[in-house]
Amino acid sequence: MIPAEFEYVAPSTVEEAVRTLDRAGDDAKVLAGGQSLLPVLRMRMADPGLVVDLGGIPETKGVREDGDALVIGAMTSHHEVMRSDLVRQHAELVALATRTVADPQVRHRGTFGGSLAHADPAGDLPAPVLAMDAEMVIAGPSGRRTVPAAEFFVDYFTTALESNEVLVEVRLPKYTGWRAHYEKFNRVAQAWSVVGVAATLLVRDGTVAQARVGLTNMGATPVRARGVEQALLGSPPSGEAIRQAAAHATEGTQAGSDASAEADYREHLAEVLTGRALATAAGG
């Protein structure tokens, strides 16, 4: 199908984008990489009067260090993120999860911030940034504000972003030296996760000193598996300790049923995939 007619604006600064969105109100849609928005427009599931393309704003692109933080611009492509030496060194979990996003074509066009702002429960990137205690830098008419990942994801396809705000960058604490793995289960190649597990561990003297675990598609928003994290602390990252920790994976989750899986099957997958993610990370 052909999208309904709309106006198109391509601002060159964050401030210009915010002013444009503020004037347009709810009649505007933000275009990042377009991998989610364009299919919706073509099927006429959305008919905005204005599309605001953020692709021409240099400030929102690239990866850099800022003291103890790694900063990823919201409009940085998945391909750039997964190939970044800085990301691989300081946020390996993000690099690994990004490799599993869709296919090479989508990874070249889709953006890191666009995926997070879309907030699809089956998307692969929200769980890693939640697990890693990321912060989202958001620009709006009143200036900029920082929102923790735990408060950014609100509901299905809903975030803390207002209609006149844009996501500028994502700030991640450096996880240098941590072991990591992202394990996902999907029914066909390149499909959304039925369930996914993002795990990163800091191992010292043969035991787990710190652990971060996030779950994909086990609720309306990504879920932090704190029960798993607590169970791992002080334990050797292998064998029975991992199995016992993985048994806590479903705590605090609200798995749903759909065409891909029933809720009880998702709960089973969460435990199995958590065990695999932890074992693979520990072996790193």
Side-chain angles (χ1 to χ4, degrees), residues 175 178 200-213 224-238 240-246 248 278:
Y175 285 75
W178 288 54
T200 187
L201 308 173
L202 180 62
V203 179
R204 288 180 180 151
D205 300 323
T207 61
V208 178
Q210 295 187 64
R212 304 284 187 272
V213 181
R224 183 80 173 263
R226 295 190 182 275
V228 175
E229 297 173 0
Q230 291 297 319
L232 281 171
L233 295 182
S235 301
S238 60
E240 185 61 24
I242 287 179
R243 285 191 291 273
Q244 290 182 4
H248 295 274
L278 294 173

Side-chain angles (χ1 to χ4, degrees), residues 39-219:
V40 169
L41 294 178
R42 291 186 63 187
M43 292 185 287
R44 298 204 177 191
M45 295 174 65
D47 57 347
L50 175 67
V51 170
V52 181
D53 185 352
L54 304 184
I57 304 177
E59 181 187 354
T60 62
K61 298 179 181 180
V63 181
R64 61 183 173 85
E65 294 178 88
D66 184 11
D68 293 333
L70 182 70
V71 184
I72 304 176
M75 289 296 293
T76 307
S77 72
H78 301 309
H79 178 75
E80 294 174 274
V81 170
M82 62 182 269
R83 292 177 61 87
S84 167
D85 290 336
L86 287 174
V87 175
R88 284 186 274 190
Q89 179 182 0
H90 301 300
E92 184 185 14
L93 180 56
V94 168
L96 294 173
T98 305
R99 290 179 192 173
T100 74
V101 172
D103 53 38
Q105 292 91 333
V106 170
R107 290 194 292 270
H108 274 80
R109 292 295 303 171
T111 66
F112 188 69
S115 178
L116 298 176
H118 187 52
D120 188 329
D124 294 300
L125 300 182
V129 301
L130 175 67
M132 297 175 71
D133 293 315
E135 294 181 330
M136 317 301 188
V137 179
I138 297 170
S142 300
R144 301 196 179 191
R145 61 191 181 103
T146 300
V147 178
E151 299 173 13
F152 182 76
F153 302 103
V154 176
D155 206 339
Y156 288 101
F157 299 99
T158 306
T159 69
L161 284 165
E162 300 292 342
S163 61
N164 57 1
E165 293 182 317
V166 297
L167 179 61
V168 178
E169 62 190 24
V170 179
R171 300 179 64 87
L172 291 154
K174 290 181 178 178
Y175 285 75
T176 315
W178 288 54
R179 305 173 184 181
H181 185 66
Y182 184 71
E183 185 79 19
K184 68 185 283 186
F185 179 83
N186 49 282
R187 297 181 65 183
V188 295
Q190 304 165 357
W192 300 104
S193 293
V194 175
V195 174
V197 179
T200 187
L201 308 173
L202 180 62
V203 179
R204 288 180 180 151
D205 300 323
T207 61
V208 178
Q210 295 187 64
R212 304 284 187 272
V213 181
L215 305 178
T216 298
N217 216 5
M218 286 297 292

